[in-house]
Amino acid sequence: MNSLPAAVMVAIGVFVAAITIGRWLLVNDTLSNRLINRALAWDLIGLLVFVAVGRLGSADLAFDLFVIFGALTVANVFGFARLLDGADVGMSARRQRTYDAIAAAAGCVVLVGTVGTHMGFSVDWGSTVWFLSAMPTIWSGLLIVRACVRELRTADATAKERLTYCALLVVGGYCAVASVIALVRTIHGTRPDKAGPAWAIGTYATLVLLTALIAIPLWNALLAQAGLDRAGRCCRRLRPLWRVLTAAVPEVVLEPASPGTGGSASRLYRMTVEIRDALVQLKPFAPDAEAHDDIREYARCIAQAAQAKADGRSAPVIATGRAAGFALSDHTDELRYLLDLARAWPRR
């Protein structure tokens, strides 16, 4: 695994490190995400230690240390695979503590074996633990494959979801098959860290592909932070309309969300509710608004009603009947209607 050029390994390490740090900061809200982040972090640490120690000439020590961190990685990957496959979420924390304890115990065994080797004993606990840890790796790959196949067979999966599950299916299948092949090679006397350049290329390529997959939520989180996701763009388009209506009818403004909670989707939902409530409150000031089929004329009437309400004028009539301008079936239709209204809103 140390057979790749140093520049390539540094580039891979920087890429994985950037995604790992970003996910810990922005995508760490669910147990699945935490398991992914922990697995990625342990794998990154193990890789860095393996490369650094191996370059210093201690190949056996590098492999033993890699196995220690690899066992912790496998424990978290297995926990994630169980969740993805539909395991009981309520018992997931207890299960994960068991997996982590087993991985830590295996790491201690390897560490004791490493110390024993330097004291003259010849027990290769690193290879033994690696051999045993390949079993849950194969199981994890099969669980991921089964979960991806199940999700791909659902009729309501989007094209983006299908592409993601297809890529994850490839990764899961590769992990299972590659682990079986590695077991067979180990039985025939080939140590995993001496499998050759082709094996190293496959291992690192899988790591890069898997990291790219789990970077998708991070990318979405970054877009949301910058207000560049779909909900954020809708908020910006609605803001001129929302600002005028809530200034005219401030009582419709909801209580502010707690700092650090929600996001652009939450803000968009709040804005649509407040705009809708403001339009209902302004109906008495625009009794003829719903008679207009043209959205531009309706927007002009509502703008005049908002100005009248803001100026303190009394409503000309007491309105009855349905809310002006609304005959919508769901939230999607409502959002589309409000975006059209914001587009037609008179500019001052």
Side-chain angles (χ1 to χ4, degrees):
M1 289 175 63
N2 256 324
S3 54
L4 293 183
V8 175
M9 300 184 72
V10 168
I12 293 174
V14 170
F15 173 67
V16 176
I19 300 303
T20 303
I21 294 172
R23 282 188 57 94
W24 274 104
L25 294 175
L26 297 177
V27 189
N28 199 40
D29 53 339
T30 65
L31 178 59
S32 295
N33 283 325
R34 289 192 292 273
L35 290 175
I36 292 173
N37 295 345
R38 287 164 56 185
L40 196 59
W42 285 126
D43 195 44
L44 176 63
I45 294 172
L47 178 62
L48 294 176
V49 170
F50 176 80
V51 172
V53 177
R55 297 280 175 173
L56 293 175
S58 302
D60 291 340
L61 177 60
F63 177 69
D64 287 344
L65 294 176
F66 179 76
V67 170
I68 293 173
F69 293 109
L72 295 169
T73 301
V74 170
N76 286 277
V77 169
F78 186 66
F80 167 75
R82 290 289 308 276
L83 283 178
L84 186 66
D85 191 52
D88 182 15
V89 178
M91 298 293 294
S92 56
R94 180 179 298 179
R95 283 198 312 268
Q96 194 57 46
R97 285 194 294 269
T98 301
Y99 303 153
D100 291 340
I102 294 173
C108 291
V109 169
V110 175
L111 191 59
V112 170
T114 302
V115 174
T117 299
H118 287 81
M119 296 176 63
F121 299 99
S122 58
V123 179
D124 189 3
W125 287 112
S127 296
T128 302
V129 169
W130 184 92
F131 186 91
L132 295 176
S133 66
M135 304 299 182
T137 302
I138 296 171
W139 193 356
S140 299
L142 295 177
L143 290 176
I144 291 172
V145 168
R146 183 169 69 177
C148 290
V149 170
R150 183 178 63 245
E151 294 298 329
L152 287 170
R153 294 176 63 183
T154 60
D156 56 347
T158 65
K160 184 178 179 180
E161 290 172 340
R162 289 181 181 278
L163 180 61
T164 302
Y165 281 119
C166 283
L168 189 58
L169 174 65
V170 171
V171 172
Y174 174 83
C175 289
V177 173
S179 297
V180 171
I181 295 174
L183 281 178
V184 174
R185 289 166 62 92
T186 302
I187 292 173
H188 286 82
T190 302
R191 279 170 54 103
D193 58 327
K194 301 184 184 300
W199 193 262
I201 291 173
T203 300
Y204 285 116
T206 303
L207 175 61
V208 170
L209 176 58
L210 185 58
T211 304
L213 277 176
I214 62 180
I216 294 175
L218 174 60
W219 175 250
N220 294 334
L222 289 172
L223 289 178
Q225 287 282 327
L228 298 176
D229 59 331
R230 181 179 180 275
R233 294 194 303 270
C234 289
C235 286
R236 286 198 301 276
R237 290 165 60 186
L238 289 175
R239 190 162 288 113
L241 171 65
W242 171 85
R243 188 179 295 116
V244 173
L245 295 183
T246 54
V249 193
E251 59 269 23
V252 303
V253 177
L254 302 174
E255 290 292 329
S258 301
T261 61
S264 54
S266 177
R267 289 196 303 272
L268 178 60
Y269 179 76
R270 287 167 55 88
M271 290 179 74
T272 57
V273 170
E274 291 168 353
I275 292 173
R276 178 186 62 206
D277 292 347
L279 290 174
V280 173
Q281 294 295 324
L282 289 173
K283 183 182 177 183
F285 294 86
D288 298 328
E290 63 183 10
H292 295 292
D293 295 329
D294 189 344
I295 189 69
R296 290 184 295 273
E297 289 299 319
Y298 176 73
R300 183 184 57 81
C301 290
I302 294 299
Q304 293 174 351
Q307 186 61 50
K309 176 72 165 57
D311 292 342
R313 284 178 268 168
S314 59
V317 297
I318 300 298
T320 58
R322 66 178 180 88
F326 280 90
L328 309 171
S329 58
D330 55 27
H331 181 68
T332 302
D333 285 342
E334 179 184 43
L335 177 59
R336 188 181 300 112
Y337 177 83
L338 293 181
L339 290 172
D340 290 340
L341 181 60
R343 191 178 301 111
W345 191 252
R347 297 294 186 265
R348 300 188 180 186

